[in-house]
């Protein structure tokens, strides 16, 4: 295992040996994931690898260690100097320093010694020609105590090796956005230990995407799931830009309370540019139809409860169904304490 790169296939290919959703043994894939340092890979990467090792359907991914991020910081002393100028979340120079930090990171050279191996990892994982999502997994992200949702940039439907490298540097640079820096300062998260892993993961051509909470956040009932879903990719749902159907599911009986809304638009691959996303009009018959069938709702509920039992605590899970109706889990995190 390369200390700077990791692939889900290193764990997923072995998952059948220990049984789907099995427990960790000393030599199991789950034990190998649990041995990874969150300091180097971040919560999001480790959660996805853990899901893959447990046998859940996770799209293939390659991750770049936060050590690479730290090496870039070390090679540019001005980055450390700028970070030391920030004395609190309301620093008068926060926005100016944040801008300088982002520019320094975007101008940094991607470590040439990693280029060839990253290219090979992407080829082996069949991601070289695929549309991929490039997103962050910071060492302090997706934990139970802090939520960085929406604070770091993500890039969807990226295609081509050079564009993946550009997107990776932009993900790193986004760790220095003013609101992300202010959040860390407000919560007394040390900036000198900042580290960001980058995930390159296959984009599923989603028919439907959604989020499920294994505890109902509206009333804190642990016997209910709350599912929200939209047509197409989940970007519109996560950003709050598109209205979503909601389904409250009783964990014991499977009974569903549905609220189906009008959904006039969806997010999908920009097929003309062959990269990036675009928002398009949903065909009229689909606009008032539920985005999930009852069978799909029950499948999401079943898988989500398996994930909750696996982690032994309530989870915030992102999922999608592809055009063939296959369910993929694309992210999970503990429900953040409020």
């Amino acid at each position: 295992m390369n200390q700077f790169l990791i692939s889900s296939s290193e764990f997923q290919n072995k998952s059948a040996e220990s049984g789907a959703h099995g427990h960790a043994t000393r030599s199991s894939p789950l034990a190998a994931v649990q041995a990874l340092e969150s300091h180097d890979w971040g919560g999001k990467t480790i959660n996805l690898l853990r899901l893959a090792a447990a046998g859940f359907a996770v799209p293939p991914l390659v991750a770049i260690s936060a050590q690479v991020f730290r090496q870039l910081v070390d090679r540019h002393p001005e980055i450390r100097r700028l970070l030391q100028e920030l004395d609190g979340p309301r620093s008068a120079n926060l926005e100016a320093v944040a801008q300088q930090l982002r520019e320094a990171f975007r101008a940094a050279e991607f470590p040439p010694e990693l280029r060839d191996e990253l290219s090979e990892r992407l080829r082996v994982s069949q991601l070289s020609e695929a549309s991929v999502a490039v997103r962050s997994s910071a060492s302090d992200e997706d934990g139970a105590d802090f939520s960085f949702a929406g604070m770091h940039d993500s890039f969807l439907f990226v295609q081509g090796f050079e564009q993946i490298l550009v997107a990776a540097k932009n993900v790193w640079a986004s760790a220095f956005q003013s609101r992300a820096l202010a959040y860390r300062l407000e919560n007394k998260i040390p900036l000198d230990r900042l580290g960001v892993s980058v995930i390159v993961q296959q984009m599923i051509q989603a028919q439907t995407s959604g989020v499920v909470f294994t505890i109902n956040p509206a009333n804190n009932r642990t016997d209910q799931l709350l599912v929200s879903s939209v047509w197409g990719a989940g970007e519109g749902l996560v950003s709050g830009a598109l209205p979503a159907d909601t389904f409250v599911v009783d964990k014991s009986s499977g009974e569903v309370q549905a609220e189906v809304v009008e959904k006039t638009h969806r997010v999908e691959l920009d097929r003309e540019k062959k990269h990036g996303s675009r928002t398009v009009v949903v065909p009229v018959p689909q606009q008032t139809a539920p985005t999930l069938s009852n069978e799909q709702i029950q499948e999401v509920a079943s898988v989500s409860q398996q994930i909750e039992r696996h982690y032994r605590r309530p989870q915030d899970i992102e999922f999608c169904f592809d055009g063939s109706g296959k369910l993929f889990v694309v992210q999970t995190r503990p429900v953040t304490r409020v």
Side-chain angles (χ1 to χ4, degrees):
M1 184 185 299
N2 184 293
Q3 64 175 328
F4 299 125
L5 298 170
I6 201 166
S7 306
S8 57
S9 59
E10 297 174 46
F11 306 94
Q12 206 158 25
N13 288 346
K14 303 174 185 177
S15 62
E17 299 172 9
S18 59
H21 324 321
H23 297 290
T25 63
R26 184 172 298 179
S27 59
S28 73
L30 281 173
V33 174
Q34 290 167 357
L36 297 174
E37 294 285 346
S38 61
H39 182 67
D40 292 330
W41 300 103
K44 193 178 297 180
T45 297
I46 290 177
N47 280 338
L48 286 168
L49 294 176
R50 183 171 175 173
L51 289 171
F56 294 98
V58 174
L61 68 92
V62 174
I64 304 168
S65 171
Q67 291 186 53
V68 180
F69 174 95
R70 296 189 186 98
Q71 286 182 357
L72 288 176
V73 171
D74 289 341
R75 291 173 183 173
H76 295 78
E78 71 274 19
I79 293 178
R80 289 198 178 279
R81 178 185 61 77
L82 287 165
L83 287 173
Q84 290 170 359
E85 290 185 13
L86 300 174
D87 55 10
R90 295 173 180 81
S91 298
N93 61 341
L94 179 63
E95 183 57 51
V97 170
Q99 179 64 29
Q100 293 176 66
L101 286 166
R102 293 196 301 274
E103 290 174 357
F105 235 92
R106 291 191 181 107
E109 182 182 5
F110 193 90
E113 63 273 16
L114 282 184
R115 287 179 59 102
D116 290 345
E117 184 164 356
L118 176 59
S119 178
E120 177 63 13
R121 289 289 185 109
L122 294 172
R123 185 193 67 79
V124 171
S125 299
Q126 299 184 328
L127 298 176
S128 296
E129 305 301 325
S131 289
V132 297
V134 183
R135 50 201 175 110
S136 69
S137 179
S139 55
D140 49 13
E141 188 176 6
D142 284 350
D145 297 316
F146 304 109
S147 174
F148 285 82
M151 292 192 190
H152 299 149
D153 290 339
S154 296
F155 300 89
L156 307 182
F157 299 107
V158 178
Q159 290 187 322
F161 183 62
E162 294 300 326
Q163 291 305 309
I164 289 173
L165 296 184
V166 170
K169 289 203 297 181
N170 281 327
V171 166
W172 283 325
S174 71
F176 300 116
Q177 293 186 106
S178 56
R179 61 176 178 155
L181 289 172
Y183 185 81
R184 288 186 168 90
L185 292 165
E186 183 75 40
N187 288 282
K188 297 180 171 53
I189 303 171
L191 295 178
D192 60 355
R193 295 207 298 268
L194 177 60
V196 181
S197 170
V198 173
I199 301 169
V200 181
Q201 187 172 31
Q202 180 185 348
M203 285 289 303
I204 302 301
Q205 302 296 323
Q207 178 72 18
T208 304
S209 299
V211 173
V212 53
F213 290 88
T214 63
I215 179 174
N216 188 341
N219 52 25
N220 288 324
R221 287 182 57 171
T222 59
D223 61 334
Q224 293 180 336
L225 299 164
L226 180 65
V227 183
S228 302
S229 55
V230 295
W231 296 118
E235 182 183 16
L237 174 61
V238 174
S239 69
L242 298 180
D245 293 337
T246 56
F247 308 93
V248 177
V249 185
D250 184 280
K251 290 182 178 180
S252 298
S253 67
E255 181 182 351
V256 179
Q257 302 172 43
E259 182 181 351
V260 178
V261 300
E262 185 178 25
K263 303 161 293 290
T264 58
H265 292 79
R266 69 171 185 263
V267 176
E268 65 175 24
L269 167 68
D270 190 326
R271 300 183 188 281
E272 292 182 3
K273 296 180 180 177
K274 296 185 179 179
H275 65 85
S277 61
R278 65 176 183 176
T279 301
V280 300
V281 176
V282 172
V284 172
Q286 284 188 315
Q287 292 183 6
T288 53
T291 45
L292 295 173
S293 67
N294 187 63
E295 291 77 11
Q296 289 175 320
I297 294 169
Q298 298 303 328
E299 183 179 4
V300 168
S302 175
V303 169
S304 298
Q305 289 179 83
Q306 290 173 36
I307 294 173
E308 181 181 49
R309 287 193 294 270
H310 179 77
Y311 281 91
R312 300 179 182 178
R313 66 176 305 147
Q315 295 291 298
D316 169 2
I317 301 162
E318 295 181 23
F319 67 89
C320 66
F321 284 94
D322 69 9
S324 72
K326 181 176 179 178
L327 172 63
F328 289 89
V329 180
V330 295
Q331 191 166 308
T332 190
R333 62 173 74 86
V335 173
T336 305
R337 291 198 295 265
V338 294

